[in-house]
Amino acid sequence: MATIAPRGVSAATKADENLRQHGFCILRDVESRSRIEEINRSLHPRFAATPFCQGGFYGPRTKRFGGLLKRAPTVESLVQNPAVMRLVHAILEPWCDTVQLNLTQALELHPGAPAQFPHRDQDMWRGPTGELEYLVNVMWPISPFKAENGATLVWPGSHNGGQGDDGAEPVAIEADPGSAIIFLGSTLHGAGANRSNAVRRGIIVSYCLGWLKPYENQWLTYPPEVASAFDPELAALVGYQQHRPNLGNYDGQCPSILLGGDPPDHLAAIDALRPDQEGALSEFLRQQTDQLPPPARGIAEIERGRNKREVKSNG
């Protein structure tokens, strides 16, 4: 089994090329080690109290827990890391109107943990393969990732429908705290076996298309009373935004209305359309208006103007 070890900071363009060509890339030193250590200390009590997983997939020698934005608020810097977000948007935005947070999860791989079953995370959704990317995963090492302590295994070229994985050997992605290991939801991967005498810790942050059901139920994990403390961009990322057209609304409006306290009992549903749909709607309404008698036409034109303003304000 090959290993990939640190080789200096990757340029953004090179990282994008590697991610698209090989299904994974590494961003070196994109977060301070002091921030990673701060996160590590804050998670100590939770790891100590969390039992081992049950089942062969999660691993009987592994501990996992989610909801990190409320358990270690400094994880926000990982979730919104600019270098990571540039890659996430570049990969996912051709297929959606908005990107959403799919998961934040801390994991602890104990000595004796076997290698994880190789898998592709996009298989959660059972959609067509090889046509689009559903998901981008980011593994943040909290302790150094080494081949002997169970570093993430990746099968290069196994993305985009599975090409390139027949008989191929995986590579163990070695990286230090402060670096980010990024791989596509279509890339075959799994945790390696921990053959060392030390625990290996990491954090998984993943992002998916805004019209999918996320792995972690974000609205239960971060209900309005929790999400109201987030900045608007983070709140949107965990689901308090609409995906145009009109998907994920609350009583016909953007769910961010819940972050300002109890909304009124009676709300007016407001269009939230894509620009192409706004154009088609505008043309349709114009044609309808042209067919009306003059008195009704004036009223319709007023309503059409109001509709366009509401669409713009809610987009």
Side-chain angles (χ1 to χ4, degrees), residues 52 61 108-114 149 193-200:
F52 284 108
R61 294 289 295 162
E108 195 175 64
L109 201 67
H110 284 245
N149 73 0
N194 189 346
R195 298 185 298 274
S196 74
N197 295 320
V199 169
R200 188 268 278 174

Side-chain angles (χ1 to χ4, degrees), residues 138-171:
V138 185
M139 176 68 77
W140 293 92
I142 300 301
S143 51
F145 275 32
K146 303 292 183 184
E148 58 269 21
N149 73 0
T152 302
L153 303 177
V154 169
W155 277 255
S158 60
H159 57 307
N160 293 333
Q163 302 95 323
D165 62 325
D166 293 339
E169 288 291 320
V171 295

Side-chain angles (χ1 to χ4, degrees), residues 5 64 264:
R64 300 171 183 264

